[in-house]
């Protein structure tokens, strides 16, 4: 007697990968927020402290990062501000979840004391020496 035909069994659909929420702390370092606002000498980039973000609503913060327009309506891009340029050219590519994570971290966990720790990392450079030919 011949064996019965083998009927393929449909594979169970693969489980969707778990979505991991982005880390705001990770992003403020990777994106460069801490570098420009706290780890670069003020003579090079005079950026305000990141604690400024505590005064932004989530919608205002999203607008700032996507367009370079501050909560008071100033268009930082039009003013030639580095923040306006970075917002339009780089930060505008962040997802809503990433912007939300950055904002939540800055509002809830970024402190003046933490900023001071980062500012202590600013490299000190010797004064330039000029050589005469």
């Amino acid at each position: 007697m011949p064996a019965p035909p083998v009927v393929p069994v449909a594979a169970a659909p693969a489980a969707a990968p778990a979505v991991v929420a982005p880390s705001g702390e990770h992003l403020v370092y990777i994106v460069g927020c801490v570098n420009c606002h706290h780890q670069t000498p003020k003579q090079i980039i005079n950026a305000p402290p990141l604690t400024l973000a505590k005064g932004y609503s989530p919608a205002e913060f999203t607008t700032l990062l996507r367009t370079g327009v501050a909560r008071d309506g100033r268009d930082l891009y039009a003013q030639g501000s580095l923040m306006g340029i970075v917002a339009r050219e780089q930060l505008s590519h962040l997802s809503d979840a990433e912007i939300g994570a950055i904002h939540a971290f800055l509002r809830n966990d970024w402190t003046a004391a933490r900023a001071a720790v980062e500012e202590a990392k600013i490299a000190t450079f010797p004064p330039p020496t000029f050589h005469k030919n």
Side-chain angles (χ1 to χ4, degrees):
M1 170 186 244
V6 176
V7 178
V9 177
V19 176
V20 178
S23 162
E25 181 177 20
H26 179 78
L27 288 167
V28 299
Y29 284 90
I30 297 301
V31 171
C33 306
V34 172
N35 181 273
C36 285
H37 288 269
H38 294 290
Q39 294 177 341
T40 302
K42 295 298 180 190
Q43 305 91 312
I44 297 172
I45 300 175
N46 191 17
L50 288 173
T51 54
L52 183 71
K54 293 179 185 297
Y56 276 73
S57 70
E60 292 167 335
F61 192 74
T62 298
T63 297
L64 174 66
L65 267 58
R66 291 252 163 82
T67 67
V69 175
R71 64 189 285 237
D72 62 6
R74 288 177 300 127
D75 185 340
L76 302 175
Y77 184 84
Q79 293 177 351
S81 165
L82 182 58
M83 180 64 197
I85 295 165
V86 169
R88 286 199 185 178
E89 301 299 329
Q90 295 174 338
L91 303 177
S92 62
H93 296 283
L94 293 171
S95 69
D96 290 341
E98 290 166 331
I99 291 174
I102 291 169
H103 188 241
F105 172 72
L106 293 176
R107 283 189 71 146
N108 301 324
D109 299 313
W110 190 260
T111 62
R114 181 132 183 210
V117 168
E118 295 306 326
E119 289 172 9
K121 296 176 183 178
I122 294 175
T124 55
F125 299 102
T129 54
F130 298 97
H131 301 282
K132 292 185 178 184
N133 290 339

PDB file of all heavy atoms in Angstrom, residues 31-68:
ATOM      1  N   VAL A  31      23.954  61.717  18.930  1.00  0.00           N
ATOM      2  CA  VAL A  31      23.539  62.767  18.001  1.00  0.00           C
ATOM      3  C   VAL A  31      24.457  63.983  18.114  1.00  0.00           C
ATOM      4  O   VAL A  31      24.638  64.721  17.162  1.00  0.00           O
ATOM      5  CB  VAL A  31      22.061  63.142  18.255  1.00  0.00           C
ATOM      6  CG1 VAL A  31      21.641  64.363  17.485  1.00  0.00           C
ATOM      7  CG2 VAL A  31      21.156  61.962  17.918  1.00  0.00           C
ATOM      8  N   GLY A  32      25.038  64.184  19.274  1.00  0.00           N
ATOM      9  CA  GLY A  32      25.973  65.287  19.442  1.00  0.00           C
ATOM     10  C   GLY A  32      25.468  66.420  20.314  1.00  0.00           C
ATOM     11  O   GLY A  32      26.137  67.440  20.451  1.00  0.00           O
ATOM     12  N   CYS A  33      24.305  66.270  20.915  1.00  0.00           N
ATOM     13  CA  CYS A  33      23.759  67.339  21.762  1.00  0.00           C
ATOM     14  C   CYS A  33      24.764  67.718  22.853  1.00  0.00           C
ATOM     15  O   CYS A  33      25.067  68.900  23.044  1.00  0.00           O
ATOM     16  CB  CYS A  33      22.454  66.897  22.418  1.00  0.00           C
ATOM     17  SG  CYS A  33      21.183  66.284  21.301  1.00  0.00           S
ATOM     18  N   VAL A  34      25.263  66.720  23.575  1.00  0.00           N
ATOM     19  CA  VAL A  34      26.185  66.975  24.679  1.00  0.00           C
ATOM     20  C   VAL A  34      27.470  67.598  24.161  1.00  0.00           C
ATOM     21  O   VAL A  34      28.009  68.523  24.767  1.00  0.00           O
ATOM     22  CB  VAL A  34      26.470  65.677  25.468  1.00  0.00           C
ATOM     23  CG1 VAL A  34      27.573  65.883  26.486  1.00  0.00           C
ATOM     24  CG2 VAL A  34      25.205  65.191  26.153  1.00  0.00           C
ATOM     25  N   ASN A  35      27.934  67.144  23.022  1.00  0.00           N
ATOM     26  CA  ASN A  35      29.183  67.680  22.489  1.00  0.00           C
ATOM     27  C   ASN A  35      29.083  69.171  22.233  1.00  0.00           C
ATOM     28  O   ASN A  35      29.916  69.948  22.691  1.00  0.00           O
ATOM     29  CB  ASN A  35      29.583  66.924  21.220  1.00  0.00           C
ATOM     30  CG  ASN A  35      30.881  67.439  20.664  1.00  0.00           C
ATOM     31  OD1 ASN A  35      30.883  68.397  19.886  1.00  0.00           O
ATOM     32  ND2 ASN A  35      31.975  66.847  21.079  1.00  0.00           N
ATOM     33  N   CYS A  36      28.081  69.597  21.500  1.00  0.00           N
ATOM     34  CA  CYS A  36      27.954  71.024  21.169  1.00  0.00           C
ATOM     35  C   CYS A  36      27.590  71.868  22.379  1.00  0.00           C
ATOM     36  O   CYS A  36      28.116  72.961  22.563  1.00  0.00           O
ATOM     37  CB  CYS A  36      26.910  71.239  20.081  1.00  0.00           C
ATOM     38  SG  CYS A  36      27.475  70.756  18.444  1.00  0.00           S
ATOM     39  N   HIS A  37      26.690  71.371  23.209  1.00  0.00           N
ATOM     40  CA  HIS A  37      26.173  72.185  24.304  1.00  0.00           C
ATOM     41  C   HIS A  37      27.040  72.167  25.559  1.00  0.00           C
ATOM     42  O   HIS A  37      26.932  73.073  26.383  1.00  0.00           O
ATOM     43  CB  HIS A  37      24.743  71.753  24.661  1.00  0.00           C
ATOM     44  CG  HIS A  37      23.745  72.148  23.634  1.00  0.00           C
ATOM     45  ND1 HIS A  37      23.064  73.342  23.689  1.00  0.00           N
ATOM     46  CD2 HIS A  37      23.313  71.511  22.505  1.00  0.00           C
ATOM     47  CE1 HIS A  37      22.254  73.431  22.642  1.00  0.00           C
ATOM     48  NE2 HIS A  37      22.379  72.342  21.908  1.00  0.00           N
ATOM     49  N   HIS A  38      27.889  71.141  25.725  1.00  0.00           N
ATOM     50  CA  HIS A  38      28.644  71.052  26.984  1.00  0.00           C
ATOM     51  C   HIS A  38      30.101  70.643  26.853  1.00  0.00           C
ATOM     52  O   HIS A  38      30.857  70.833  27.803  1.00  0.00           O
ATOM     53  CB  HIS A  38      27.936  70.108  27.953  1.00  0.00           C
ATOM     54  CG  HIS A  38      26.618  70.629  28.404  1.00  0.00           C
ATOM     55  ND1 HIS A  38      26.482  71.707  29.253  1.00  0.00           N
ATOM     56  CD2 HIS A  38      25.353  70.263  28.080  1.00  0.00           C
ATOM     57  CE1 HIS A  38      25.204  71.968  29.446  1.00  0.00           C
ATOM     58  NE2 HIS A  38      24.498  71.105  28.745  1.00  0.00           N
ATOM     59  N   GLN A  39      30.520  70.061  25.763  1.00  0.00           N
ATOM     60  CA  GLN A  39      31.894  69.570  25.679  1.00  0.00           C
ATOM     61  C   GLN A  39      32.765  70.363  24.711  1.00  0.00           C
ATOM     62  O   GLN A  39      33.899  69.973  24.468  1.00  0.00           O
ATOM     63  CB  GLN A  39      31.904  68.089  25.279  1.00  0.00           C
ATOM     64  CG  GLN A  39      31.296  67.187  26.324  1.00  0.00           C
ATOM     65  CD  GLN A  39      31.262  65.735  25.878  1.00  0.00           C
ATOM     66  OE1 GLN A  39      31.356  65.418  24.712  1.00  0.00           O
ATOM     67  NE2 GLN A  39      31.120  64.848  26.845  1.00  0.00           N
ATOM     68  N   THR A  40      32.256  71.432  24.177  1.00  0.00           N
ATOM     69  CA  THR A  40      33.019  72.269  23.252  1.00  0.00           C
ATOM     70  C   THR A  40      33.231  73.630  23.910  1.00  0.00           C
ATOM     71  O   THR A  40      32.286  74.190  24.459  1.00  0.00           O
ATOM     72  CB  THR A  40      32.266  72.437  21.920  1.00  0.00           C
ATOM     73  OG1 THR A  40      32.042  71.130  21.367  1.00  0.00           O
ATOM     74  CG2 THR A  40      33.053  73.271  20.933  1.00  0.00           C
ATOM     75  N   PRO A  41      34.453  74.158  23.863  1.00  0.00           N
ATOM     76  CA  PRO A  41      34.682  75.472  24.473  1.00  0.00           C
ATOM     77  C   PRO A  41      33.704  76.511  23.936  1.00  0.00           C
ATOM     78  O   PRO A  41      33.386  76.539  22.749  1.00  0.00           O
ATOM     79  CB  PRO A  41      36.120  75.809  24.062  1.00  0.00           C
ATOM     80  CG  PRO A  41      36.763  74.472  23.818  1.00  0.00           C
ATOM     81  CD  PRO A  41      35.675  73.596  23.271  1.00  0.00           C
ATOM     82  N   LYS A  42      33.215  77.358  24.833  1.00  0.00           N
ATOM     83  CA  LYS A  42      32.231  78.377  24.462  1.00  0.00           C
ATOM     84  C   LYS A  42      32.784  79.347  23.416  1.00  0.00           C
ATOM     85  O   LYS A  42      32.015  79.960  22.688  1.00  0.00           O
ATOM     86  CB  LYS A  42      31.758  79.144  25.705  1.00  0.00           C
ATOM     87  CG  LYS A  42      30.994  78.283  26.689  1.00  0.00           C
ATOM     88  CD  LYS A  42      29.735  77.715  26.090  1.00  0.00           C
ATOM     89  CE  LYS A  42      28.987  76.863  27.100  1.00  0.00           C
ATOM     90  NZ  LYS A  42      27.899  76.123  26.510  1.00  0.00           N
ATOM     91  N   GLN A  43      34.112  79.495  23.327  1.00  0.00           N
ATOM     92  CA  GLN A  43      34.698  80.359  22.310  1.00  0.00           C
ATOM     93  C   GLN A  43      34.492  79.783  20.915  1.00  0.00           C
ATOM     94  O   GLN A  43      34.550  80.497  19.926  1.00  0.00           O
ATOM     95  CB  GLN A  43      36.212  80.552  22.533  1.00  0.00           C
ATOM     96  CG  GLN A  43      36.580  81.071  23.889  1.00  0.00           C
ATOM     97  CD  GLN A  43      36.839  79.937  24.886  1.00  0.00           C
ATOM     98  OE1 GLN A  43      36.059  79.001  24.994  1.00  0.00           O
ATOM     99  NE2 GLN A  43      37.928  80.045  25.623  1.00  0.00           N
ATOM    100  N   ILE A  44      34.246  78.483  20.845  1.00  0.00           N
ATOM    101  CA  ILE A  44      34.034  77.818  19.557  1.00  0.00           C
ATOM    102  C   ILE A  44      32.546  77.726  19.250  1.00  0.00           C
ATOM    103  O   ILE A  44      32.095  78.104  18.173  1.00  0.00           O
ATOM    104  CB  ILE A  44      34.696  76.422  19.546  1.00  0.00           C
ATOM    105  CG1 ILE A  44      36.213  76.580  19.714  1.00  0.00           C
ATOM    106  CG2 ILE A  44      34.352  75.664  18.270  1.00  0.00           C
ATOM    107  CD1 ILE A  44      36.954  75.281  19.912  1.00  0.00           C
ATOM    108  N   ILE A  45      31.773  77.184  20.180  1.00  0.00           N
ATOM    109  CA  ILE A  45      30.318  77.082  20.032  1.00  0.00           C
ATOM    110  C   ILE A  45      29.696  77.571  21.328  1.00  0.00           C
ATOM    111  O   ILE A  45      29.834  76.925  22.369  1.00  0.00           O
ATOM    112  CB  ILE A  45      29.854  75.632  19.748  1.00  0.00           C
ATOM    113  CG1 ILE A  45      30.468  75.093  18.476  1.00  0.00           C
ATOM    114  CG2 ILE A  45      28.330  75.577  19.663  1.00  0.00           C
ATOM    115  CD1 ILE A  45      30.150  73.628  18.215  1.00  0.00           C
ATOM    116  N   ASN A  46      29.017  78.680  21.294  1.00  0.00           N
ATOM    117  CA  ASN A  46      28.409  79.242  22.502  1.00  0.00           C
ATOM    118  C   ASN A  46      26.952  78.783  22.612  1.00  0.00           C
ATOM    119  O   ASN A  46      26.028  79.576  22.568  1.00  0.00           O
ATOM    120  CB  ASN A  46      28.507  80.768  22.495  1.00  0.00           C
ATOM    121  CG  ASN A  46      28.143  81.351  23.834  1.00  0.00           C
ATOM    122  OD1 ASN A  46      28.125  80.654  24.839  1.00  0.00           O
ATOM    123  ND2 ASN A  46      27.817  82.630  23.849  1.00  0.00           N
ATOM    124  N   ALA A  47      26.780  77.475  22.755  1.00  0.00           N
ATOM    125  CA  ALA A  47      25.440  76.891  22.840  1.00  0.00           C
ATOM    126  C   ALA A  47      24.928  76.975  24.275  1.00  0.00           C
ATOM    127  O   ALA A  47      25.697  76.810  25.218  1.00  0.00           O
ATOM    128  CB  ALA A  47      25.483  75.435  22.378  1.00  0.00           C
ATOM    129  N   PRO A  48      23.628  77.205  24.453  1.00  0.00           N
ATOM    130  CA  PRO A  48      23.074  77.250  25.809  1.00  0.00           C
ATOM    131  C   PRO A  48      23.076  75.856  26.437  1.00  0.00           C
ATOM    132  O   PRO A  48      23.175  74.848  25.730  1.00  0.00           O
ATOM    133  CB  PRO A  48      21.650  77.752  25.587  1.00  0.00           C
ATOM    134  CG  PRO A  48      21.312  77.327  24.205  1.00  0.00           C
ATOM    135  CD  PRO A  48      22.604  77.399  23.432  1.00  0.00           C
ATOM    136  N   PRO A  49      22.949  75.780  27.757  1.00  0.00           N
ATOM    137  CA  PRO A  49      22.931  74.464  28.409  1.00  0.00           C
ATOM    138  C   PRO A  49      21.688  73.669  28.003  1.00  0.00           C
ATOM    139  O   PRO A  49      20.636  74.239  27.710  1.00  0.00           O
ATOM    140  CB  PRO A  49      22.911  74.796  29.904  1.00  0.00           C
ATOM    141  CG  PRO A  49      22.391  76.186  29.984  1.00  0.00           C
ATOM    142  CD  PRO A  49      22.797  76.869  28.715  1.00  0.00           C
ATOM    143  N   LEU A  50      21.828  72.372  27.995  1.00  0.00           N
ATOM    144  CA  LEU A  50      20.716  71.502  27.609  1.00  0.00           C
ATOM    145  C   LEU A  50      19.552  71.557  28.594  1.00  0.00           C
ATOM    146  O   LEU A  50      18.450  71.129  28.259  1.00  0.00           O
ATOM    147  CB  LEU A  50      21.194  70.061  27.446  1.00  0.00           C
ATOM    148  CG  LEU A  50      22.057  69.801  26.215  1.00  0.00           C
ATOM    149  CD1 LEU A  50      22.607  68.377  26.244  1.00  0.00           C
ATOM    150  CD2 LEU A  50      21.283  70.057  24.946  1.00  0.00           C
ATOM    151  N   THR A  51      19.766  72.093  29.780  1.00  0.00           N
ATOM    152  CA  THR A  51      18.654  72.239  30.723  1.00  0.00           C
ATOM    153  C   THR A  51      17.579  73.159  30.141  1.00  0.00           C
ATOM    154  O   THR A  51      16.439  73.131  30.600  1.00  0.00           O
ATOM    155  CB  THR A  51      19.132  72.780  32.088  1.00  0.00           C
ATOM    156  OG1 THR A  51      19.865  73.989  31.879  1.00  0.00           O
ATOM    157  CG2 THR A  51      19.992  71.757  32.814  1.00  0.00           C
ATOM    158  N   LEU A  52      17.916  73.922  29.128  1.00  0.00           N
ATOM    159  CA  LEU A  52      16.951  74.776  28.436  1.00  0.00           C
ATOM    160  C   LEU A  52      15.763  73.958  27.911  1.00  0.00           C
ATOM    161  O   LEU A  52      14.642  74.452  27.848  1.00  0.00           O
ATOM    162  CB  LEU A  52      17.646  75.492  27.274  1.00  0.00           C
ATOM    163  CG  LEU A  52      16.830  76.485  26.473  1.00  0.00           C
ATOM    164  CD1 LEU A  52      16.561  77.725  27.322  1.00  0.00           C
ATOM    165  CD2 LEU A  52      17.592  76.882  25.221  1.00  0.00           C
ATOM    166  N   ALA A  53      16.005  72.696  27.568  1.00  0.00           N
ATOM    167  CA  ALA A  53      14.950  71.835  27.024  1.00  0.00           C
ATOM    168  C   ALA A  53      13.826  71.600  28.022  1.00  0.00           C
ATOM    169  O   ALA A  53      12.701  71.278  27.625  1.00  0.00           O
ATOM    170  CB  ALA A  53      15.539  70.500  26.576  1.00  0.00           C
ATOM    171  N   LYS A  54      14.095  71.779  29.310  1.00  0.00           N
ATOM    172  CA  LYS A  54      13.051  71.577  30.325  1.00  0.00           C
ATOM    173  C   LYS A  54      11.889  72.544  30.124  1.00  0.00           C
ATOM    174  O   LYS A  54      10.769  72.251  30.498  1.00  0.00           O
ATOM    175  CB  LYS A  54      13.634  71.735  31.724  1.00  0.00           C
ATOM    176  CG  LYS A  54      14.618  70.648  32.101  1.00  0.00           C
ATOM    177  CD  LYS A  54      15.177  70.857  33.491  1.00  0.00           C
ATOM    178  CE  LYS A  54      16.249  69.873  33.852  1.00  0.00           C
ATOM    179  NZ  LYS A  54      15.867  68.492  33.907  1.00  0.00           N
ATOM    180  N   GLY A  55      12.135  73.684  29.516  1.00  0.00           N
ATOM    181  CA  GLY A  55      11.091  74.671  29.285  1.00  0.00           C
ATOM    182  C   GLY A  55      10.291  74.461  28.020  1.00  0.00           C
ATOM    183  O   GLY A  55       9.344  75.196  27.753  1.00  0.00           O
ATOM    184  N   TYR A  56      10.658  73.474  27.219  1.00  0.00           N
ATOM    185  CA  TYR A  56       9.978  73.193  25.956  1.00  0.00           C
ATOM    186  C   TYR A  56       8.908  72.133  26.151  1.00  0.00           C
ATOM    187  O   TYR A  56       9.155  71.115  26.802  1.00  0.00           O
ATOM    188  CB  TYR A  56      10.978  72.670  24.922  1.00  0.00           C
ATOM    189  CG  TYR A  56      11.742  73.745  24.185  1.00  0.00           C
ATOM    190  CD1 TYR A  56      12.747  74.477  24.801  1.00  0.00           C
ATOM    191  CD2 TYR A  56      11.456  74.020  22.857  1.00  0.00           C
ATOM    192  CE1 TYR A  56      13.449  75.456  24.124  1.00  0.00           C
ATOM    193  CE2 TYR A  56      12.158  74.997  22.162  1.00  0.00           C
ATOM    194  CZ  TYR A  56      13.152  75.710  22.804  1.00  0.00           C
ATOM    195  OH  TYR A  56      13.833  76.673  22.127  1.00  0.00           O
ATOM    196  N   SER A  57       7.747  72.351  25.568  1.00  0.00           N
ATOM    197  CA  SER A  57       6.733  71.296  25.534  1.00  0.00           C
ATOM    198  C   SER A  57       7.208  70.257  24.512  1.00  0.00           C
ATOM    199  O   SER A  57       8.088  70.546  23.692  1.00  0.00           O
ATOM    200  CB  SER A  57       5.383  71.870  25.095  1.00  0.00           C
ATOM    201  OG  SER A  57       5.430  72.218  23.716  1.00  0.00           O
ATOM    202  N   PRO A  58       6.618  69.074  24.521  1.00  0.00           N
ATOM    203  CA  PRO A  58       7.014  68.091  23.504  1.00  0.00           C
ATOM    204  C   PRO A  58       6.832  68.621  22.077  1.00  0.00           C
ATOM    205  O   PRO A  58       7.693  68.402  21.221  1.00  0.00           O
ATOM    206  CB  PRO A  58       6.097  66.894  23.786  1.00  0.00           C
ATOM    207  CG  PRO A  58       5.828  66.995  25.260  1.00  0.00           C
ATOM    208  CD  PRO A  58       5.728  68.474  25.530  1.00  0.00           C
ATOM    209  N   ALA A  59       5.753  69.342  21.816  1.00  0.00           N
ATOM    210  CA  ALA A  59       5.522  69.873  20.460  1.00  0.00           C
ATOM    211  C   ALA A  59       6.553  70.936  20.106  1.00  0.00           C
ATOM    212  O   ALA A  59       7.073  70.957  18.983  1.00  0.00           O
ATOM    213  CB  ALA A  59       4.112  70.453  20.359  1.00  0.00           C
ATOM    214  N   GLU A  60       6.878  71.823  21.045  1.00  0.00           N
ATOM    215  CA  GLU A  60       7.876  72.857  20.791  1.00  0.00           C
ATOM    216  C   GLU A  60       9.253  72.247  20.542  1.00  0.00           C
ATOM    217  O   GLU A  60       9.995  72.697  19.675  1.00  0.00           O
ATOM    218  CB  GLU A  60       7.960  73.824  21.976  1.00  0.00           C
ATOM    219  CG  GLU A  60       6.740  74.685  22.163  1.00  0.00           C
ATOM    220  CD  GLU A  60       6.715  75.403  23.495  1.00  0.00           C
ATOM    221  OE1 GLU A  60       7.348  74.932  24.475  1.00  0.00           O
ATOM    222  OE2 GLU A  60       6.035  76.458  23.570  1.00  0.00           O
ATOM    223  N   PHE A  61       9.567  71.208  21.306  1.00  0.00           N
ATOM    224  CA  PHE A  61      10.865  70.545  21.152  1.00  0.00           C
ATOM    225  C   PHE A  61      10.956  69.849  19.797  1.00  0.00           C
ATOM    226  O   PHE A  61      11.984  69.928  19.124  1.00  0.00           O
ATOM    227  CB  PHE A  61      11.077  69.542  22.292  1.00  0.00           C
ATOM    228  CG  PHE A  61      12.480  69.021  22.387  1.00  0.00           C
ATOM    229  CD1 PHE A  61      13.502  69.821  22.878  1.00  0.00           C
ATOM    230  CD2 PHE A  61      12.776  67.724  21.996  1.00  0.00           C
ATOM    231  CE1 PHE A  61      14.805  69.346  22.968  1.00  0.00           C
ATOM    232  CE2 PHE A  61      14.070  67.231  22.084  1.00  0.00           C
ATOM    233  CZ  PHE A  61      15.091  68.041  22.577  1.00  0.00           C
ATOM    234  N   THR A  62       9.881  69.215  19.385  1.00  0.00           N
ATOM    235  CA  THR A  62       9.852  68.568  18.076  1.00  0.00           C
ATOM    236  C   THR A  62      10.045  69.606  16.976  1.00  0.00           C
ATOM    237  O   THR A  62      10.814  69.383  16.030  1.00  0.00           O
ATOM    238  CB  THR A  62       8.529  67.804  17.875  1.00  0.00           C
ATOM    239  OG1 THR A  62       8.447  66.775  18.870  1.00  0.00           O
ATOM    240  CG2 THR A  62       8.443  67.176  16.492  1.00  0.00           C
ATOM    241  N   THR A  63       9.377  70.744  17.091  1.00  0.00           N
ATOM    242  CA  THR A  63       9.539  71.815  16.101  1.00  0.00           C
ATOM    243  C   THR A  63      10.985  72.289  16.060  1.00  0.00           C
ATOM    244  O   THR A  63      11.550  72.475  14.979  1.00  0.00           O
ATOM    245  CB  THR A  63       8.598  72.994  16.422  1.00  0.00           C
ATOM    246  OG1 THR A  63       7.251  72.520  16.323  1.00  0.00           O
ATOM    247  CG2 THR A  63       8.798  74.147  15.464  1.00  0.00           C
ATOM    248  N   LEU A  64      11.590  72.476  17.219  1.00  0.00           N
ATOM    249  CA  LEU A  64      12.987  72.913  17.268  1.00  0.00           C
ATOM    250  C   LEU A  64      13.890  71.926  16.546  1.00  0.00           C
ATOM    251  O   LEU A  64      14.708  72.323  15.697  1.00  0.00           O
ATOM    252  CB  LEU A  64      13.448  73.073  18.721  1.00  0.00           C
ATOM    253  CG  LEU A  64      14.936  73.391  18.905  1.00  0.00           C
ATOM    254  CD1 LEU A  64      15.265  74.766  18.330  1.00  0.00           C
ATOM    255  CD2 LEU A  64      15.318  73.295  20.372  1.00  0.00           C
ATOM    256  N   LEU A  65      13.751  70.645  16.854  1.00  0.00           N
ATOM    257  CA  LEU A  65      14.641  69.658  16.252  1.00  0.00           C
ATOM    258  C   LEU A  65      14.357  69.408  14.777  1.00  0.00           C
ATOM    259  O   LEU A  65      15.256  69.031  14.040  1.00  0.00           O
ATOM    260  CB  LEU A  65      14.595  68.347  17.034  1.00  0.00           C
ATOM    261  CG  LEU A  65      15.665  68.231  18.123  1.00  0.00           C
ATOM    262  CD1 LEU A  65      15.585  69.340  19.136  1.00  0.00           C
ATOM    263  CD2 LEU A  65      15.641  66.890  18.782  1.00  0.00           C
ATOM    264  N   ARG A  66      13.147  69.611  14.333  1.00  0.00           N
ATOM    265  CA  ARG A  66      12.824  69.369  12.930  1.00  0.00           C
ATOM    266  C   ARG A  66      13.074  70.586  12.040  1.00  0.00           C
ATOM    267  O   ARG A  66      13.430  70.440  10.883  1.00  0.00           O
ATOM    268  CB  ARG A  66      11.359  68.961  12.794  1.00  0.00           C
ATOM    269  CG  ARG A  66      11.062  67.596  13.369  1.00  0.00           C
ATOM    270  CD  ARG A  66      10.796  66.587  12.270  1.00  0.00           C
ATOM    271  NE  ARG A  66      10.896  65.231  12.753  1.00  0.00           N
ATOM    272  CZ  ARG A  66       9.937  64.578  13.393  1.00  0.00           C
ATOM    273  NH1 ARG A  66       8.785  65.160  13.626  1.00  0.00           N
ATOM    274  NH2 ARG A  66      10.136  63.336  13.789  1.00  0.00           N
ATOM    275  N   THR A  67      12.873  71.794  12.583  1.00  0.00           N
ATOM    276  CA  THR A  67      12.904  72.985  11.731  1.00  0.00           C
ATOM    277  C   THR A  67      13.938  74.023  12.138  1.00  0.00           C
ATOM    278  O   THR A  67      14.252  74.923  11.364  1.00  0.00           O
ATOM    279  CB  THR A  67      11.534  73.686  11.734  1.00  0.00           C
ATOM    280  OG1 THR A  67      11.283  74.215  13.043  1.00  0.00           O
ATOM    281  CG2 THR A  67      10.422  72.736  11.315  1.00  0.00           C
ATOM    282  N   GLY A  68      14.409  73.953  13.380  1.00  0.00           N
ATOM    283  CA  GLY A  68      15.314  74.980  13.870  1.00  0.00           C
ATOM    284  C   GLY A  68      14.603  76.226  14.357  1.00  0.00           C
ATOM    285  O   GLY A  68      15.221  77.258  14.556  1.00  0.00           O
TER     286      GLY A  68
END
